[in-house]
Amino acid sequence: MSSFVRPADAGQDPLKEISVNYRPISTHLAITPPVSVVIPAMNEAENLPYVFKTLPDWIHEVVLVDGNSTDDTVAVARDLWPDVKVVRQLGKGKGDALITGFAACTGDIIVMVDADGSADGQEIVSYVSALVSGADFAKGSRFANGGGTDDMTPIRKLGNHVLCSVVNTKFGARYTDLCYGYNAFWRHCLDKIELDCTGFEVETLMNIRVVKAGLKVQEIPSHEYLRIHGTSNLRAVRDGIRVLKVILSERSNRDRRGERRKAARALPVPAGRGEAS
């Protein structure tokens, strides 16, 4: 897929000339792939107005995964976005919620957005632009040039940096940020990576497995804002340990190639093919 670009003519509305199969982003730019936005939420009724306010009106669908909220999360979402697709989460954890949401998406492009108001939906156009320009996975980064964060303590920044360095070294990645949940990807990526964890570490697992699958990754500078209402379920030490366990449990392609070479050397030499003594 590629972007459709057409210069605007004076006195003419170019959007009227665009096929109904295209979704207008501005007066001179439109895309054809439908975009699904997945929002995992549990008791985020107060934050959803800020989240939905920034979502572009050209997206194909919003999939809200409700983690058994006890407040008005679902009612508020339906009031803000009448066509929202609400999916009830049967399991627990952010990873489980995202996997549930991905399965419900019908768009060619899937965008992951947190429900706490920390992400700016207007950045989605940057993610989509990277994908239609050739990337398979558009990974948000708070530490790429142009990004930033208002919501990380020094200890979390240090932990993120250390874990990111480990992933880069072990898997040959070039990430500047590891534990960030604002990402987008073509739906076909789900056929090439397996997601089998339920917690916050799902983001790290995705980042590792897209690299192992040989998918083209492009980092997108992103600014993370403070959570507007409520408190996060993230626990730096607990979840940092879970992320580290995921990293250490994943075997790099280089490790597997080395094991195959060792196995090949260990095979018996067929008769008549070896050197005579």
Side-chain angles (χ1 to χ4, degrees):
M1 298 292 181
S2 61
S3 59
F4 176 90
V5 182
R6 178 176 180 176
D9 297 326
Q12 182 180 6
D13 183 0
L15 291 183
K16 293 181 179 180
E17 303 297 324
I18 297 176
S19 165
V20 293
N21 294 324
Y22 289 86
R23 294 183 173 275
I25 292 178
S26 66
T27 57
H28 60 281
L29 175 65
I31 61 170
T32 183
V35 177
S36 299
V37 174
V38 176
I39 305 175
M42 184 175 69
N43 297 328
E44 299 285 7
E46 290 185 288
N47 290 321
L48 289 184
Y50 301 91
V51 176
F52 280 80
K53 181 174 64 175
T54 67
L55 294 180
D57 57 8
W58 46 261
I59 61 177
H60 166 61
E61 67 181 353
V62 176
V63 177
L64 181 90
V65 184
D66 178 48
N68 301 302
S69 298
T70 56
D71 65 0
D72 294 328
T73 290
V74 173
V76 169
R78 286 178 171 151
D79 182 61
L80 294 168
W81 201 280
D83 294 331
V84 66
K85 181 185 291 185
V86 177
V87 182
R88 300 285 182 178
Q89 182 182 357
L90 299 180
K92 293 182 178 181
K94 185 175 184 180
D96 181 81
L98 287 173
I99 293 169
T100 301
F102 296 160
C105 290
T106 61
D108 294 330
I109 290 175
I110 299 176
V111 185
M112 304 155 49
V113 176
D114 287 340
D116 58 4
S118 63
D120 182 359
Q122 293 301 317
E123 293 180 359
I124 291 177
V125 66
S126 298
Y127 289 82
V128 172
S129 295
L131 295 176
V132 298
S133 296
D136 296 304
F137 191 88
K139 180 189 176 306
S141 173
R142 295 161 291 187
F143 304 111
N145 187 28
T149 177
D150 301 330
D151 194 34
M152 287 190 79
T153 62
I155 188 65
R156 284 181 58 201
K157 286 184 180 179
L158 176 62
N160 185 68
H161 174 73
V162 171
L163 294 171
C164 189
S165 298
V166 173
V167 167
N168 289 344
T169 300
K170 184 174 181 179
F171 301 99
R174 297 181 179 179
Y175 294 143
T176 60
D177 197 353
L178 185 67
C179 308
Y180 190 41
Y182 200 172
N183 305 298
F185 53 91
W186 289 102
R187 185 181 181 85
H188 68 73
C189 293
L190 295 174
D191 298 328
K192 299 177 176 64
I193 62 175
E194 181 183 0
L195 300 179
D196 50 11
C197 64
T198 60
F200 283 101
E201 68 273 16
V202 66
E203 295 145 0
T204 296
L205 185 68
M206 292 182 72
N207 293 334
I208 291 174
R209 290 188 175 173
V210 295
V211 171
K212 290 172 62 176
L215 299 175
K216 184 177 179 181
V217 181
Q218 180 173 332
E219 285 198 331
I220 306 299
S222 177
H223 192 97
E224 178 188 40
Y225 297 91
L226 289 170
R227 163 181 278 275
I228 299 174
H229 296 287
T231 57
S232 173
N233 291 321
L234 177 67
R235 298 295 179 266
V237 176
R238 178 200 65 188
D239 294 309
I241 293 174
R242 294 180 66 168
V243 168
L244 180 60
K245 287 181 178 179
V246 164
I247 296 172
L248 296 179
S249 66
E250 288 292 300
R251 298 164 67 184
S252 70
N253 291 334
R254 287 176 292 185
D255 294 339
R256 293 181 177 180
R257 287 195 296 268
E259 289 186 0
R260 286 197 293 268
R261 285 195 294 268
K262 290 180 181 178
R265 288 196 295 268
L267 290 175
V269 178
R273 296 286 297 277
E275 296 181 354
S277 57

